[in-house]
């Protein structure tokens, strides 16, 4: 718990001392006078439909709450993100939202912000800092596992008489934590099924063009497979184009259909699911991440930076416990469908993790208005 008066003192003096160094020099925390008025946000990049939805939802929700939100895209630069966090800390921001680009690089700046009394909440991509009050995001591992389960079900339907199904795993950047987890979740489920042979894992580098060329070259050299899993929407679209270029892209149920599952829906992905080209996409409730974080951030700051407002680890949170008020944005009643629930509280990197649910997009629901890809399409 950190006192706001102490934080104000630090900001006013620009002191580079830690809160620990002056512990005991201020009155007790809380008192009901603390308010969340200005928040700094450091996110990956501007551009791209997924990130656009993620950032714009934060801007819309902050507007609804009467909070000034300053968004700084880090352009995939860990150095710039560190500097932006330090600028927010030493400025007049009451709190900071971060989608961490480089886990280790940001830890020092995040810890400094926490020590100086500017709370940092992480969304979408976690920090290794154990000091933050909360991280909000879904489970990349579970997303990969769910994609694998969808693939097995689709293979059973498409090729019930085959003894063995040959599949490809197209993963993201080697060494990236999210990419590792998404790939491992897929592989672990597949390893439990004797009928599945993962013939190769290809590195699509989270890029559409790389996935397209890599998969196309692999099929040219090795022949077709029964199924392909892609670790994000860009690589999934690259795989679709690779099959189209090979003239083997046909909808499910037709002879020769290659079962496709992937992470993420999008304005381009959802119609392909509806056409049966993609069998299933495991989607994140990305436009809820920052509103959920801001709800708890507001309570945290107003309580005098009191972490008792954060739900306890191992508890379950539903819409009965957490209200994200809907609002009119982009022609829809945004946040009206709590697709994030239930949220399961876990511990990750030494801090609480609000693990949201995910949504499996199929032909039955691909056109629903609660999918971000249909709102931002």
């Amino acid at each position: 718990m950190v006192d706001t008066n102490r934080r104000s003192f630090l900001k006013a003096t620009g002191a580079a001392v830690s809160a620990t160094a002056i512990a005991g020099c201020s009155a007790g925390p809380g008192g009901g006078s603390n308010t969340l008025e200005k928040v700094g946000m450091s996110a990956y990049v501007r551009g791209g439909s997924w990130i656009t939805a993620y950032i714009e939802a934060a801007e819309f929700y902050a507007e609804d709450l009467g909070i000034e939100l300053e968004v700084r895209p880090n352009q995939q630069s860990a150095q710039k993100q560190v500097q932006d966090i330090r600028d927010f800390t030493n400025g007049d921001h009451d709190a900071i939202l971060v989608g961490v680009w480089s886990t280790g690089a940001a830890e020092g700046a995040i810890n400094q912000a926490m020590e100086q009394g500017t709370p940092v909440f992480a969304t979408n991509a976690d920090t290794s800092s154990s000091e933050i009050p909360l991280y909000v995001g879904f489970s990349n591992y579970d997303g990969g596992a769910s994609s694998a389960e969808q693939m097995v079900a689709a293979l059973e339907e498409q090729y019930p008489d085959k003894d063995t199904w040959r599949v490809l795993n197209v993963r993201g950047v080697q060494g990236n934590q999210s990419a590792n987890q998404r790939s491992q979740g897929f592989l672990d489920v597949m390893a439990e099924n004797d009928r599945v042979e993962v013939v190769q894992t290809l590195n699509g580098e989270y890029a559409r063009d790389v996935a397209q060329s890599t998969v196309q070259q692999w099929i040219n050299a090795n022949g077709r497979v029964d199924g392909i899993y892609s670790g994000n929407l860009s690589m999934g679209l690259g795989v679709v184009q690779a099959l189209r270029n090979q003239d083997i892209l046909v909808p499910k149920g037709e002879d020769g259909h290659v079962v496709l599952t992937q992470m993420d829906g999008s304005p381009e992905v959802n119609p392909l699911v509806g056409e049966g080209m993609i069998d299933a996409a495991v989607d994140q409730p990305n436009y809820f991440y920052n509103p959920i974080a801001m709800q708890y951030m507001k309570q945290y700051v107003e309580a005098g930076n009191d972490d008792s407002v954060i739900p306890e680890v191992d508890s379950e949170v539903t819409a009965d416990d957490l209200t994200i008020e809907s609002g009119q944005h982009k022609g829809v009643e945004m946040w009206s469908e709590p697709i994030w629930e239930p949220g399961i509280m876990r511990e990750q990197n030494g801090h609480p993790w609000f693990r949201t649910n995910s949504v499996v997009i199929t032909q039955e629901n691909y056109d629903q208005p609660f999918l971000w890809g249909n709102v931002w399409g």
Side-chain angles (χ1 to χ4, degrees):
M1 189 182 298
V2 181
D3 180 73
T4 297
N5 293 329
R6 183 170 64 199
R7 179 183 56 190
S8 300
F9 169 79
L10 285 165
K11 288 177 178 295
T13 59
V17 298
S18 71
T20 302
I22 61 170
C25 74
S26 62
S33 60
N34 303 324
T35 58
L36 184 66
E37 298 177 357
K38 186 173 183 179
V39 174
M41 178 177 174
S42 173
Y44 282 6
V45 289
R46 287 198 183 278
S49 56
W50 198 101
I51 288 293
T52 297
Y54 167 78
I55 293 176
E56 283 192 353
E59 294 171 332
F60 293 150
Y61 199 72
E63 177 186 341
D64 289 357
L65 292 182
I67 295 171
E68 179 182 353
L69 182 68
E70 180 183 351
V71 180
R72 293 192 185 184
N74 60 53
Q75 306 299 356
Q76 301 183 350
S77 165
Q79 183 177 8
K80 183 178 188 309
Q81 180 162 58
V82 167
Q83 186 58 54
D84 288 340
I85 293 170
R86 287 180 173 152
D87 287 347
F88 291 145
T89 302
N90 295 321
D92 58 351
H93 299 78
D94 299 306
I96 302 172
L97 274 174
V98 295
V100 177
W101 174 246
S102 178
T103 305
E107 182 175 346
I110 289 172
N111 286 344
Q112 181 185 14
M114 290 298 302
E115 290 169 357
Q116 292 187 204
T118 306
V120 180
F121 284 60
T123 59
N124 182 42
D126 200 6
T127 170
S128 57
S129 169
S130 63
E131 304 299 316
I132 67 167
L134 186 65
Y135 164 64
V136 180
F138 90 134
S139 166
N140 288 293
Y141 180 91
D142 289 351
S146 180
S147 294
E149 292 163 356
Q150 293 297 319
M151 176 166 285
V152 170
L155 286 168
E156 287 176 340
E157 185 173 345
Q158 183 73 33
Y159 299 110
D161 299 326
K162 275 197 169 185
D163 294 332
T164 302
W165 301 307
R166 301 171 71 245
V167 304
L168 285 175
N169 170 31
V170 183
R171 57 159 295 151
V173 178
Q174 198 75 35
N176 177 276
Q177 177 175 289
S178 298
N180 293 346
Q181 293 170 342
R182 293 180 181 193
S183 179
Q184 197 60 52
F186 174 81
L187 292 172
D188 284 352
V189 170
M190 288 308 194
E192 296 174 355
N193 193 310
D194 293 338
R195 296 177 69 184
V196 174
E197 179 191 359
V198 181
V199 291
Q200 190 145 358
T201 291
L202 304 176
N203 190 347
E205 299 180 10
Y206 276 156
R208 185 170 180 166
D209 58 341
V210 175
Q212 176 187 326
S213 61
T214 302
V215 169
Q216 197 164 323
Q217 290 170 12
W218 193 94
I219 291 176
N220 277 335
N222 301 282
R224 61 187 300 152
V225 290
D226 301 309
I228 304 175
Y229 161 67
S230 302
N232 80 341
L233 73 90
S234 297
M235 295 191 297
L237 291 170
V239 168
V240 167
Q241 189 58 47
L243 299 185
R244 183 176 283 125
N245 292 345
Q246 301 281 62
D247 201 24
I248 55 174
L249 181 68
V250 296
K252 67 179 187 178
E254 293 191 9
D255 290 343
H257 171 64
V258 178
V259 171
L260 302 180
T261 64
Q262 65 174 74
M263 295 301 304
D264 305 326
S266 82
E268 286 184 87
V269 169
N270 297 3
L272 289 166
V273 175
E275 295 167 10
M277 302 302 184
I278 297 173
D279 295 74
V282 178
D283 206 17
Q284 303 178 54
N286 59 351
Y287 62 96
F288 274 99
Y289 286 169
N290 290 310
I292 290 171
M294 276 192 273
Q295 270 296 329
Y296 286 117
M297 178 186 286
K298 187 171 186 294
Q299 295 176 38
Y300 182 87
V301 170
E302 290 177 349
N305 291 7
D306 185 349
D307 57 14
S308 69
V309 303
I310 306 299
E312 293 184 0
V313 171
D314 294 331
S315 64
E316 179 177 295
V317 182
T318 70
D320 291 333
D321 309 306
L322 173 66
T323 300
I324 304 296
E325 292 286 351
S326 62
Q328 275 288 332
H329 299 283
K330 298 185 72 67
V332 299
E333 193 70 16
M334 196 168 292
W335 309 297
S336 59
E337 188 74 23
I339 57 174
W340 57 268
E341 71 169 352
I344 306 297
M345 295 301 301
R346 294 283 186 258
E347 182 175 304
Q348 180 167 272
N349 297 331
H351 56 250
W353 168 25
F354 188 107
R355 193 193 72 183
T356 66
N357 204 356
S358 57
V359 179
V360 178
I361 304 175
T362 65
Q363 278 188 310
E364 282 67 48
N365 66 0
Y366 76 98
D367 56 352
Q368 290 299 303
F370 55 75
L371 300 174
W372 74 265
N374 297 334
V375 177
W376 273 268

